[in-house]
Amino acid sequence: MSRSLPTAAAGLSRWLVPRGADAGAWPLLAARSLRAFADGYMALLLPAYLLALGLGTLDVGILSTATMLGSALATLAVGAWGHRFAGRRLLRGAALLMVATGIGFAGFGSFWPLLLVAFVGTLNPSSGDVSVFLPLEHARLAHAAKGGARVALFARYSVLGASFAALGALAAAAPDGLVRLGGMARIDALRWMFALYGALGLGVFLLYRLLPSADHDGAAVPTAPLGPSRRVVVQLAALFSVDAFAGGLVVNSLLSLWLFERFGFSLTEAAAFFFWTGLLSAASQLAAPHVAERIGLLNTMVFTHLPANVCLVLAALVPTLPLALALLFVRSALSQMDVPTRTAYVMAVVTPAERGAAASFTAVPRSLAAALSPTLSGALFAAGLFALPLVGCGVLKIAYDLALWRAMRRIRLDEP
């Protein structure tokens, strides 16, 4: 595959793809980087944009729920009928939907049209990836490497996502700069950022066009519905749903809203905060394969997640901003180590033919569960109960960690 790539693409492949993985995976990693950059600033600008339009905190929660619910249903459709279509075609269609989402949010200014665009579009208000892109990319990545190389590939995928999301969070300060230096109206500056989101979607589309077709992809294997691995996948999907529901209580859009309302953060301050937390998350995901090599995938998922969730609960309860920020920074340094290891774990407990179905089957309940909770957080914020969503998130995630370890600690993996 790498011999047929242009020189620049071959260089990108060597830089992006870890040793032992198929070089043809590089467009997926590059596309993940662009999407993460867009998601990084959108998660912060979405509440600021909606508040600037005159909407309330409950409306922010409802729109966040709509984005995640729409993504969940789209992911469900991919899991049910996606095997009938080429994966490249589905990915390109999702990229065009990303373009339309940016145009829709830039063009509309009232609640109901925005709600419709949020539901059918690709906007992601969370710190992780809960979009329809996720199972499609994961299934292709799983076939691009084996064993330790697969963990390294998923770690690279997650690290790039976290790093570019951090850069995107820093870019969320751009509207304030345009207002201050360019004299642009704030609402117009925010709209331009949504237009940029659509432009990045076009870049993602072009990257997907570079993916090898199934006929030329030596890593491709026939796909099949869940069979021998159904029981363990159902267990994992149920447990991941608890984690996702908890995470939906404190998606980045709502955490930034918490900082705005509780401590009077400006958009520029929030951008700086999410930039540094994003870098910490990226560093932890980079370390995850090395930790997993020493203590195992499951132990890495559980025993790094537990202290992170304790920090979140404490951050909600401490009285001062410095203490809250310190605890949130510690949380960011630990909470995302489970992202690449969780994906690699799911791919390792199923047969190769079941990987696409397993990716969708575990992603859909996560997306549905995560879609339920932002509206609840928005209502709690509107009622003045600012600490409760963070405490609820931390407590539920601690329960998930303990249940996951208890249920899966005796499961043997087919690959080391």
Side-chain angles (χ1 to χ4, degrees):
M1 173 63 196
S2 60
R3 293 178 183 175
S4 64
L5 291 173
T7 303
L12 273 175
S13 173
R14 287 192 295 270
W15 182 73
L16 290 174
V17 180
R19 183 178 300 177
D22 181 9
W26 78 267
L28 293 172
L29 300 178
R32 175 69 183 111
S33 302
L34 285 186
R35 292 195 301 105
F37 179 81
D39 290 343
Y41 73 76
M42 280 291 97
L44 303 188
L45 295 184
L46 180 63
Y49 181 56
L50 298 176
L51 293 175
L53 290 173
L55 302 178
T57 55
L58 180 57
D59 296 322
V60 175
I62 292 172
L63 279 162
S64 296
T65 288
T67 62
M68 301 178 80
L69 181 60
S71 293
L73 294 178
T75 305
L76 179 62
V78 167
W81 301 294
H83 62 278
R84 301 178 182 178
F85 305 95
R88 290 200 316 163
R89 183 178 298 178
L90 292 173
L91 284 167
R92 293 198 298 266
L96 292 177
L97 190 58
M98 182 177 173
V99 175
T101 302
I103 294 171
F105 264 88
F108 293 121
S110 54
F111 177 77
W112 290 107
L114 290 174
L115 182 65
L116 178 61
V117 175
F119 180 75
V120 301
T122 61
L123 213 62
N124 176 23
S126 72
S127 58
D129 192 357
V130 294
S131 67
V132 68
F133 296 96
L134 187 71
L136 296 170
E137 291 182 342
H138 278 187
R140 290 188 72 101
L141 287 170
H143 298 317
K146 295 181 179 180
R150 180 182 297 136
V151 180
L153 181 59
F154 278 115
R156 187 70 58 87
Y157 178 86
S158 299
V159 167
L160 287 168
S163 301
F164 278 84
L167 292 173
L170 201 59
D176 284 350
L178 291 173
V179 171
R180 186 172 59 254
L181 301 176
M184 186 180 293
R186 191 166 191 269
I187 194 69
D188 291 334
L190 290 167
R191 284 194 170 109
W192 273 109
M193 298 300 286
F194 283 96
L196 175 61
Y197 180 88
L200 291 169
L202 181 59
V204 171
F205 174 81
L206 295 175
L207 284 166
Y208 287 152
R209 285 178 60 87
L210 299 175
L211 286 170
S213 65
D215 292 338
H216 298 88
D217 186 2
V221 296
T223 58
L226 287 176
S229 308
R230 175 178 293 275
R231 182 175 175 274
V232 68
V233 171
V234 169
Q235 280 185 294
L236 288 171
L239 289 166
F240 292 168
S241 297
V242 176
D243 179 52
F245 177 85
L249 293 170
V250 194
V251 293
N252 274 13
S253 290
L254 294 173
L255 185 57
S256 63
L257 184 61
W258 181 73
L259 292 169
F260 296 153
E261 299 290 328
R262 171 93 188 272
F263 295 112
F265 255 41
S266 69
L267 191 55
T268 300
E269 290 170 332
F273 167 75
F274 282 100
F275 170 72
W276 289 111
T277 57
L279 288 185
L280 288 171
S281 295
S284 69
Q285 291 178 54
L286 189 62
H290 305 288
V291 177
E293 188 176 355
R294 290 181 175 274
I295 68 173
L297 289 171
L298 181 63
N299 289 340
T300 303
M301 292 161 63
V302 172
F303 296 119
T304 60
H305 215 224
L306 275 169
N309 296 321
V310 172
C311 287
L312 180 62
V313 173
L314 294 176
L317 301 176
V318 295
T320 64
L321 176 62
L323 277 175
L325 292 181
L327 288 164
L328 290 174
F329 281 132
V330 174
R331 177 207 178 213
S332 297
L334 296 172
S335 65
Q336 298 299 301
M337 271 194 184
D338 74 315
V339 174
T341 49
R342 180 179 62 219
T343 306
Y345 187 83
V346 172
M347 295 298 107
V349 297
V350 302
T351 63
E354 294 175 293
R355 285 170 183 158
S360 292
F361 198 90
T362 53
V364 169
R366 281 182 59 82
S367 298
L368 287 172
L372 299 175
S373 38
T375 297
L376 176 59
S377 286
L380 292 171
F381 286 161
L385 302 173
F386 293 107
L388 198 54
L390 278 71
V391 172
C393 174
V395 170
L396 283 173
K397 280 178 170 286
I398 289 170
Y400 153 77
D401 290 328
L402 297 175
L404 177 67
W405 187 79
R406 187 173 185 274
M408 297 292 152
R409 68 187 188 277
R410 292 189 175 91
I411 300 291
R412 285 194 170 191
L413 303 184
D414 290 335
E415 296 180 4

